[in-house]
C-alpha cells in the first residue's frame, strides 16, 4: 500500500516537474509576443500618432499585461512629474525591474531596455526603421521559440516521466 502511494507520488512529482518546464517554455513565447506587441505599438505611435515617449508610456499602460502596465506607469510618473528624471535612465531602470524574472534571453531584454537609443534619430521614419529591425529580430526569435516549444514539450514530458519510472525502478 505504502509502496504504491510512494510510486504514485514519485511519478506525479516527475510529471509535475515536466509540466512546469513546459509552462516555462510557453511563458517565453507569451513574453516574446507581448514584447513584439509593445514595440510595434511604440513604432506606430511614433510614426502615426506623433506622440512623445512619455505619452506612449501612458498609452501602453492601458494596453499591456499587468507586469508591463506597472512598468510603463512608473516610467510615466517619474518622467512627467514636477521632479522629472531623465527619460533614458528611468526607462532603463524600470525595464530592468520589469524584465528581471522574464524568461527571455538577454539580447531580447536589451531590445526593450535600449529602446531610447533607437530614438536618437530626429526623424520619425529613421526611428521607425530602427524599431522595425528590433521587431523583426523578436519575430524571428518568437517563431523559433514556438517551433521549439512543441518539440521540447514532448521531449520534456517524456523524459520527466521516464525519470520517474527510472527512480521507481531504482527504489524497488
Amino acid at each position: 500500500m505504502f509502496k504504491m502511494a510512494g510510486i504514485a507520488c514519485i511519478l506525479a512529482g516527475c510529471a509535475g516537474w515536466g509540466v512546469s518546464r513546459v509552462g516555462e517554455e510557453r511563458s517565453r513565447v507569451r513574453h516574446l509576443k507581448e514584447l513584439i506587441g509593445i514595440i510595434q505599438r511604440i513604432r506606430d505611435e511614433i510614426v502615426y500618432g506623433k506622440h512623445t515617449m512619455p505619452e506612449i508610456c501612458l498609452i501602453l499602460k492601458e494596453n499591456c499585461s499587468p507586469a508591463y502596465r506597472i512598468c510603463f506607469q512608473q516610467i510615466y510618473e517619474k518622467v512627467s512629474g514636477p521632479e522629472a528624471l531623465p527619460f533614458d535612465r528611468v526607462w532603463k531602470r524600470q525595464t530592468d525591474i520589469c524584465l528581471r524574472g522574464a524568461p527571455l534571453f538577454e539580447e531580447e531584454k536589451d531590445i526593450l531596455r535600449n529602446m531610447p537609443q533607437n530614438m536618437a534619430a530626429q526623424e520619425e521614419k529613421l526611428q521607425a526603421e530602427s524599431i522595425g529591425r528590433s521587431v523583426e529580430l523578436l519575430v524571428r526569435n518568437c517563431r523559433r521559440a514556438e517551433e521549439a516549444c512543441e518539440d521540447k514539450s514532448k521531449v520534456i514530458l517524456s523524459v520527466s516521466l521516464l525519470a520517474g519510472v527510472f527512480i521507481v525502478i531504482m527504489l524497488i
Side-chain angles (χ1 to χ4, degrees):
M1 173 72 172
F2 288 119
K3 278 187 178 182
M4 294 307 279
I7 290 171
C9 288
I10 290 171
L11 290 176
C14 289
W17 177 82
V19 168
S20 74
R21 290 289 300 141
V22 168
E24 288 174 15
E25 293 294 324
R26 289 186 179 145
S27 176
R28 174 175 155 60
V29 171
R30 195 171 47 254
H31 274 277
L32 280 169
K33 287 181 179 180
E34 180 82 19
L35 210 55
I36 290 167
I38 288 169
I39 294 174
Q40 284 176 334
R41 183 70 187 256
I42 289 171
R43 183 186 62 200
D44 292 345
E45 292 298 332
I46 288 172
V47 173
Y48 303 114
K50 309 287 186 204
H51 294 288
T52 64
M53 282 304 287
E55 292 171 334
I56 293 172
C57 288
L58 191 59
I59 293 167
L60 287 172
K61 138 185 130 124
E62 301 298 324
N63 300 313
C64 295
S65 66
Y68 293 105
R69 185 176 300 146
I70 293 168
C71 175
F72 292 120
Q73 180 166 354
Q74 293 288 323
I75 292 170
Y76 178 76
E77 290 171 358
K78 290 182 180 185
V79 299
S80 64
E83 299 173 9
L85 298 171
F87 180 78
D88 55 340
R89 266 195 345 211
V90 172
W91 179 274
K92 189 156 184 86
R93 186 178 317 126
Q94 290 302 318
T95 54
D96 275 342
I97 292 168
C98 179
L99 295 171
R100 188 170 291 143
L104 300 170
F105 298 140
E106 283 302 313
E107 70 175 1
E108 296 162 349
K109 291 178 182 180
D110 285 342
I111 290 173
L112 187 62
R113 281 186 199 130
N114 299 328
M115 188 59 60
Q117 293 172 354
N118 289 335
M119 306 300 155
Q122 295 295 324
E123 196 174 315
E124 291 94 3
K125 288 183 180 181
L126 294 176
Q127 291 175 349
E129 287 175 13
S130 177
I131 294 171
R133 286 189 296 272
S134 300
V135 170
E136 289 170 7
L137 174 68
L138 288 174
V139 167
R140 277 194 309 270
N141 288 358
C142 186
R143 282 192 194 126
R144 280 190 224 129
E146 285 177 325
E147 292 168 0
C149 183
E150 294 303 317
D151 296 335
K152 283 183 180 179
S153 296
K154 294 172 187 172
V155 171
I156 289 170
L157 287 174
S158 299
V159 169
S160 65
L161 287 173
L162 285 173
V165 170
F166 180 72
I167 292 170
V168 167
I169 290 172
M170 293 295 292
L171 292 177
I172 292 182

